[in-house]
Every structure is written in structure tokens, then in C-alpha cells.
Amino acid sequence: ECDALIIATGSSAKYLGLDSEKEFLGNGVSACATCDGYFFKDLDVVVVGGGNTAVEEALYLANTSSKVTLIHRGSKLRAEAILQDKLFEKENIEVIFNSEVEEFVGTTTGLSQVKLKDGKVIDTLGAFIAIGHTPNTAFLNGKIELSEDGHIVTYNGSQTSVEGVFACGDVVEGVYRQAII
């Protein structure tokens, strides 16, 4: 029992689901450029995705990495226009459209290449998966109001649909996520 409860369970990064991705997770494959980008300073890196998160990660990495290759499965990015403008202004960012990662390749020392389904091979020590996040709310299903994508719906700031239960952070529905909260 309690008078108030704050739910701040965050969210988990989505991955491509490749066996080789799991093999190199934490050893060249990451889902957080702000967390791990520094380890790839002055190196060539890859970002996978086409939305706001992927473009923001690519822009962030472009400040410290030699070259950033953004791989997107579609023919155009889904990111906001202003982010796309910034992306295409950067000379050290290359965008590969209509392509998908087939496999991450390396040795026991870490990632060394990203193979694409079209046969292209990119030499890199770092790959960042930026295809979204899933809120950690499965345990709340049917107990509290959730949005279609699983985020907690809040009212008047942080109040949920249950009196005395509040929510904050990446688990909450809304525009602002980790960087702000």
C-alpha cells in the first residue's frame, strides 16, 4: 500500500533481430550514440534507421566520427524536414537508401563490417541501431490507460488514469523523451 506511486520504467531499444546483432551487442553494436559514440571517435560508423532518432544519432556522431553512413530501408527519410536539412548539410554523412542490414561481421575483438542485403559491405567498428523504442509497460496492460503504442497516458502533467499513480520519463506518451526528461 502507498499514498502515491511513480512509474518510471523507461523504454527498451528496438533491434533488428539478427543473430549477429546479438553477438556484437556491446562489442561494436549499440542502440545509443550518446552512450557509446565516444568509443568511436575519429572512426567510420554506421547508423541504421530513417526517423528522427536515427537522424539525430547520425548528426551527433558526425561531430566526433570521421564518417557516418546512415542506412535506411525506405526511399526517403521519415525524420522531420529540419533534421533532414541538417543531415544533408554534413559532408561526413552518407545516406544509403533502399537497403537493409543482412549481417554484422567481426571477430572476438569486435565488429568489423556491416553486410547489406544488396551485397554492399561497409567496413566499420561501430554500428548504431536507431529504429525506435518500446515502453516497458507490458505489466500494466489492463491496469492503467496506455496509448496504442504502449506508452502511459498522463493528465495534468504526470497523473495517470489511476488516482495516486503518476508516471514520468520514457514510459510516458508524448513528444519529450530521454534527452529532456
Side-chain angles (χ1 to χ4, degrees):
E1 285 186 40
C2 61
D3 293 329
L5 173 69
I6 299 172
I7 301 170
T9 52
S11 63
S12 298
K14 291 181 183 178
Y15 290 95
L16 301 171
L18 303 171
D19 289 339
S20 59
E21 177 182 49
K22 292 175 192 159
E23 181 182 347
F24 293 104
L25 192 60
N27 201 11
V29 174
S30 173
C32 181
T34 55
C35 306
D36 299 328
Y38 185 77
F39 298 117
F40 304 95
K41 186 177 184 197
D42 298 324
L43 299 174
D44 294 354
V45 296
V46 168
V47 175
V48 179
N52 285 348
T53 302
V55 172
E56 287 169 350
E57 298 264 288
L59 288 167
Y60 175 81
L61 290 164
N63 293 322
T64 58
S65 299
S66 298
K67 180 181 178 186
V68 178
T69 303
L70 179 68
I71 301 167
H72 179 51
R73 65 182 177 184
S75 60
K76 61 181 181 176
L77 298 174
R78 296 181 318 274
E80 294 175 22
I82 192 164
L83 289 173
Q84 290 188 47
D85 290 344
K86 290 180 183 179
L87 180 86
F88 292 121
E89 287 174 3
K90 292 280 190 179
E91 292 183 15
N92 65 333
I93 297 179
E94 175 188 2
V95 181
I96 299 176
F97 291 103
N98 301 311
S99 194
E100 295 181 51
V101 174
E102 179 175 51
E103 183 181 19
F104 295 97
V105 180
T107 64
T108 55
T109 61
L111 181 71
S112 61
Q113 294 180 325
V114 174
K115 287 186 179 179
L116 305 181
K117 288 184 178 179
D118 62 8
K120 184 171 183 163
V121 176
I122 301 169
D123 292 328
T124 185
L125 300 177
F128 296 85
I129 313 303
I131 57 174
H133 287 79
T134 301
N136 298 324
T137 58
F139 71 100
L140 295 169
N141 202 10
K143 297 178 179 91
I144 201 165
E145 184 181 356
L146 301 175
S147 65
E148 285 185 25
D149 65 356
H151 287 92
I152 298 173
V153 177
T154 56
Y155 306 92
N156 301 322
S158 58
Q159 175 65 52
T160 69
S161 59
V162 177
E163 188 175 340
V165 178
F166 303 88
C168 65
D170 287 356
V171 75
V172 174
E173 178 184 56
V175 176
Y176 304 107
R177 297 281 190 261
Q178 184 179 29
I180 297 297
I181 298 167

